[in-house]
Amino acid sequence: MRVSISSILTIAKKEIKDSIRNRWFLVLSSIFFLLILQIPYIILMLLGLFSYENVPGKTGIFLAYAISLGGLITVIVGSLSIVSEKEQGTLSYLLSQPVRKIEIIIGKFMGLLLAISLMMSIGFGIAMLPSIGEAEINSIGLENFVYGVVTMFGATAVMLGISLAISVVSGSKTMAISLALFIWLFFTTIYDSGFLGTMLIAADETQAYFYFIFLNPIEISEILMNMLLNPILNPNLSVNFMINYFGIGGSFEPLSLAILVWAIIPLGFSVIEFYSREY
Amino acid sequence: MIEVENLSKKYGKVKIIYDLSFKVEKGEVVVLLGPNGAGKSTLLKCILGLVRYNGKIRVNGLDVKKEGREIRRKITYIPQQFILYPNLTVEDNLKFYANIRGISQNTVNQSIEKSKLEHFANKRTKELSEGLHQRLMLAIVSLTDTPILLFDEPTSNLDFKRVLEFKEMIKEEAKNGKTILLSTHLLSDINDISEKVIVMNNGKFVFRGNSEDLLKKTNMKTDITLTIHEELNNKTRAKIKDLLHKAGIENESIKNEFLTISTEASRIISVLKAVEEAGLKIKDFRISEPSLAKAFLEITNESDER
C-alpha cells in the first residue's frame, strides 16, 4: 500500500486553515493564552506575591494547568474532527476522492498537531518573553527548555491520537465531546486522586505502584516538564511525589518513551478503526 | 464501463442489497429509481469501494476491491449532502479538492470564473446563500474531467431553475461520451435524461428497461373520457356497451352524458369507431395517459408484497 505524501499534506494544510478559522479553536486558544499563562501570573504579581524575577521557574507553577488545558483544547478539537465531517457530509465526498483512509487520519493528525502546537508556542513564548536575556532562563538551559516544549507537543500528540480515536468511534458530535471530556477529566483529576489513594493504602509497597504513572500520559508529561524546567512549586501532589522519586534532572528516557508509545497506540487504533468502519 | 456481478451487501444482520448484476456501458446514462431505503446509495458506495460487499464490481476493467484508489480517480461522485467546509473560503474549498486530485491552480481559477464566483472567492462558505452553495458545489464537481459520473439524489436539494440546469448538464456530459449512473427517488428526473431505467426496491431490481417498457410492464391503462351532446338513455347505453364489448373493450362506465373507458392506448381508435357506430355526437374528448408515478408505485408495491 503506497501512501501519498501530497494527499497527507493537502489534508494537513486544510486542517490548519480550518482550525485557525474555527471559532471554538480561537476561543479556547485565547483562554489558554490569557487565563493560564498571563492572568494568574499578573494577578499574583499585582498582589505582591511574586516579584518579576525567575519567570521560567514561576511559569512552571502553571505547567500542570498548561498541559491540562492544552489537553482539553486538543481533545475537543480532535474529537470533533472526523465526526463533524461525517455529520456535515464532507467525509463521504472526501472518501470518494482518490485518497486512502490512512492519509486522512495522518493528514488530520499532522494538521491539528501543528495548529495546536503553534497556538501553545505563542502562549508560552509570550509568557516567557519578559525573562528573555535574564539570568534565570539561562539557568534552565536552552536544551532543557526546548525538550520541555517538545514534551508539550508530545502530550498534545497523545491527546490528539486519543481524541481522533474517539472521533472515529463516535456516532455523533455530542457523543464525541462527552467521551473526550470524560477522558480528559479522568487523566487530569480522577486518575490522580485514585493514584494517590492507592499509594496511601499500599503504604510500604508504594514503589510497585509507581509504574501505574505510565498509564496516564498527562501525568507523564507533567513530571517530565517539571523535571526539565525545575519550577519552584507544583500544585499537583502526585506529580511532586513522582518528581521526588525520579529526581530533578533524573533520567528522562523512560518518561519520553512512554509519551511516544502513548502517541503511537491511539493513532494506530484510530487508523484500524477508521478502516473497519463504513461511511 | 461499470460491471456489477452478484452484488450483495449487509449492514450487520440486515441485508441491504440482494444478488444484483448489471452493466452500464461506456457512454450510457442509467437512472437508478427507487423509494428511500431501496439500497441505491449503498449500491453507489459499493461501486466507489467505500463499503465492503460480496460479489464483483469492475470499473473500466479494474476490480474495485483491489484498485479502489485508481477507480476513484476515474469517477466523479456527487453525494446527496453538501460537500463544503463551512470555515474555509470558496477558493480554499475548491483548492482543497483540486489538490487532492492534483488539479492545477489555473483550473481552479477558471472554475471560479466560469461559475461566476469571483466576488465570493474569499468569503467563507458558511456566509454564502443557498444558491451560491449550489453554484460552488457544481464548481467543485466540474473541476474534474472523469469518464464516469455517479450522482446520488442530485436534484433533491436543488430549486427548479437548478434542476433544469442540472438536466442540461447531464445531457451535455452524455453527449461528451461520459458514463452516468444517477440514483433518484424523483420520477421527474427520468424525463429527458435517461436511456435506461433500473427500478430498485428493498435491495432488489424490480424492473430494467426504459420508461415506456416500465408502463408496459405494469399494464397501465389509458383513461378516455367522452362527453356526449345529450344524456344517454338506457337503449343507447346498451348499444354502446354492446359495441364496445364487441371491440374487446370491457372496462367502461356511463354516467349522465359522460362515457369513461379505461383501455390500452392502442384501442383509442376502436373506441371512437364504436361511439360513431352508436350514432353519438362527441362534445368533448379527453385522454389521460398512464403516469410513470402510478407505474412506479404499482411496481414497487408489487415487489413489497412479494
Side-chain angles (χ1 to χ4, degrees), chain B residues 60-160:
Chain B
N60 282 1
L62 300 172
D63 188 338
V64 171
K65 280 181 186 168
K66 289 176 189 160
E67 294 173 88
R69 185 193 197 126
E70 207 42 52
I71 283 165
R72 289 195 291 274
R73 250 182 239 290
K74 297 180 193 308
I75 298 178
T76 300
Y77 167 64
I78 297 93
Q80 228 169 319
Q81 283 171 293
F82 281 130
I83 52 173
L84 309 171
Y85 291 100
N87 287 320
L88 296 188
T89 63
V90 166
E91 190 177 2
D92 284 341
N93 264 287
L94 276 158
K95 261 164 110 175
F96 173 64
Y97 289 117
N99 289 341
I100 286 278
R101 284 189 179 260
I103 296 164
S104 69
Q105 175 67 37
N106 202 23
T107 314
V108 173
N109 295 341
Q110 280 172 1
S111 179
I112 290 175
E113 209 174 301
K114 201 176 155 191
S115 314
K116 293 177 186 142
L117 286 165
E118 303 100 314
H119 300 301
F120 310 97
N122 294 319
K123 267 206 160 191
R124 288 187 207 193
T125 42
K126 66 179 174 191
E127 293 162 9
L128 300 181
S129 67
E130 195 80 356
L132 287 170
H133 263 151
Q134 290 171 0
R135 222 191 285 174
L136 177 56
M137 271 180 67
L138 285 177
I140 289 170
V141 168
S142 60
L143 273 175
T144 53
D145 186 23
T146 57
I148 300 166
L149 303 174
L150 299 186
F151 292 92
D152 191 3
E153 305 276 0
T155 54
S156 54
N157 290 321
L158 300 184
D159 57 39
F160 183 66

Side-chain angles (χ1 to χ4, degrees), chain B residues 63-282:
Chain B
D63 188 338
V64 171
K65 280 181 186 168
K66 289 176 189 160
E67 294 173 88
R69 185 193 197 126
E70 207 42 52
I71 283 165
R72 289 195 291 274
R73 250 182 239 290
K74 297 180 193 308
I75 298 178
T76 300
Y77 167 64
I78 297 93
Q80 228 169 319
Q81 283 171 293
F82 281 130
I83 52 173
L84 309 171
Y85 291 100
N87 287 320
L88 296 188
T89 63
V90 166
E91 190 177 2
D92 284 341
N93 264 287
L94 276 158
K95 261 164 110 175
F96 173 64
Y97 289 117
N99 289 341
I100 286 278
R101 284 189 179 260
I103 296 164
S104 69
Q105 175 67 37
N106 202 23
T107 314
V108 173
N109 295 341
Q110 280 172 1
S111 179
I112 290 175
E113 209 174 301
K114 201 176 155 191
S115 314
K116 293 177 186 142
L117 286 165
E118 303 100 314
H119 300 301
F120 310 97
N122 294 319
K123 267 206 160 191
R124 288 187 207 193
T125 42
K126 66 179 174 191
E127 293 162 9
L128 300 181
S129 67
E130 195 80 356
L132 287 170
H133 263 151
Q134 290 171 0
R135 222 191 285 174
L136 177 56
M137 271 180 67
L138 285 177
I140 289 170
V141 168
S142 60
L143 273 175
T144 53
D145 186 23
T146 57
I148 300 166
L149 303 174
L150 299 186
F151 292 92
D152 191 3
E153 305 276 0
T155 54
S156 54
N157 290 321
L158 300 184
D159 57 39
F160 183 66
K161 198 181 159 201
R162 301 276 165 215
V163 170
L164 294 177
E165 278 176 17
F166 170 78
K167 284 183 178 174
E168 281 307 309
M169 184 188 100
I170 293 282
K171 280 185 205 168
E172 198 58 40
E173 297 287 12
K175 261 189 218 165
N176 295 334
K178 301 267 172 98
T179 307
I180 301 170
L181 182 59
L182 186 152
S183 102
T184 183
H185 68 279
L186 302 172
L187 284 141
S188 55
D189 285 345
I190 297 184
N191 301 333
D192 314 327
I193 55 172
S194 74
E195 290 165 8
K196 214 166 146 185
V197 183
I198 297 177
V199 182
M200 209 175 162
N201 198 25
N202 294 329
K204 294 170 194 163
F205 287 163
V206 288
F207 172 81
R208 271 189 272 187
N210 56 36
S211 50
E212 275 175 36
D213 294 338
L214 182 63
L215 294 174
K216 270 185 205 159
K217 196 200 173 216
T218 50
N219 201 21
M220 298 292 286
K221 302 273 171 69
T222 301
D223 287 332
I224 307 161
T225 307
L226 299 165
T227 313
I228 312 297
H229 261 292
E230 65 274 15
E231 201 168 308
L232 298 167
N233 57 35
N234 287 344
K235 198 180 161 190
T236 331
R237 279 179 191 218
K239 194 176 179 185
I240 185 75
K241 268 189 182 182
D242 185 45
L243 285 166
L244 287 170
H245 289 180
K246 273 181 190 166
I249 299 155
E250 301 278 337
N251 216 347
E252 84 289 323
S253 124
I254 304 167
K255 204 174 180 189
N256 304 331
E257 71 268 35
F258 300 108
L259 170 61
T260 311
I261 298 137
S262 191
T263 186
E264 290 83 35
S266 57
R267 289 179 180 259
I268 295 172
I269 302 294
S270 311
V271 172
L272 294 175
K273 273 185 182 169
V275 172
E276 195 186 17
E277 244 178 83
L280 303 175
K281 280 187 183 165
I282 299 168

Side-chain angles (χ1 to χ4, degrees), chain A residues 17-236:
Chain A
K17 278 188 181 173
D18 210 0
S19 301
I20 290 169
R21 289 180 183 139
N22 188 311
R23 193 172 28 141
W24 288 110
F25 185 82
L26 293 175
V27 168
L28 288 167
S29 303
S30 310
I31 292 170
F32 179 84
F33 164 65
L34 292 169
L35 283 178
I36 297 305
L37 296 171
Q38 294 297 303
I39 292 181
Y41 185 69
I42 291 164
I43 289 171
L44 289 170
M45 275 201 311
L46 290 174
L47 289 171
L49 293 172
F50 279 148
S51 59
Y52 200 67
E53 287 166 357
N54 190 16
V55 176
K58 282 162 193 162
T59 308
I61 296 170
F62 307 113
L63 283 181
Y65 297 122
I67 288 185
S68 300
L69 196 76
L72 177 64
I73 296 167
T74 310
V75 291
I76 290 176
V77 175
S79 66
L80 290 175
S81 62
I82 301 279
V83 77
S84 61
E85 285 224 24
K86 195 165 75 180
E87 283 189 5
Q88 74 198 19
T90 44
L91 188 61
S92 290
Y93 191 66
L94 183 57
L95 288 167
S96 77
Q97 304 299 312
V99 284
R100 291 187 202 284
K101 283 182 173 175
I102 190 168
E103 292 162 1
I104 296 176
I105 292 283
I106 295 177
K108 279 187 174 287
F109 180 80
M110 276 176 58
L112 290 174
L113 183 63
L114 276 168
I116 297 167
S117 299
L118 181 75
M119 176 271 294
M120 283 180 159
S121 302
I122 294 169
F124 264 105
I126 291 173
M128 292 291 191
L129 211 58
S131 64
I132 284 178
E134 298 288 324
E136 291 85 3
I137 198 159
N138 299 330
S139 68
I140 296 173
L142 186 66
E143 200 181 305
N144 273 11
F145 182 74
V146 172
Y147 202 149
V149 173
V150 171
T151 301
M152 203 167 65
F153 295 164
T156 306
V158 171
M159 294 312 276
L160 199 55
I162 294 170
S163 57
L164 276 175
I166 291 170
S167 198
V168 170
V169 299
S170 298
S172 66
K173 281 202 266 192
T174 318
M175 188 185 169
I177 284 281
S178 309
L179 269 172
L181 289 177
F182 174 75
I183 294 281
W184 176 78
L185 201 66
F186 178 79
F187 284 145
T188 53
T189 312
I190 302 169
Y191 189 92
D192 204 42
S193 313
F195 182 71
L196 274 176
T198 311
M199 284 205 292
L200 282 172
I201 296 163
D204 292 342
E205 297 161 51
T206 313
Q207 201 162 324
Y209 290 90
F210 283 157
Y211 298 103
F212 281 109
I213 206 80
F214 290 109
L215 296 176
N216 187 338
I218 293 279
E219 208 113 312
I220 301 169
S221 313
E222 281 180 18
I223 293 167
L224 200 52
M225 286 284 268
N226 281 277
M227 282 163 69
L228 287 159
L229 300 182
N230 191 12
I232 52 171
L233 175 73
N234 189 295
N236 189 324

Side-chain angles (χ1 to χ4, degrees), chain A residues 237-248:
Chain A
L237 290 174
S238 69
V239 168
N240 278 327
F241 191 81
M242 293 307 294
I243 292 163
N244 289 336
Y245 179 72
F246 280 98
I248 298 294

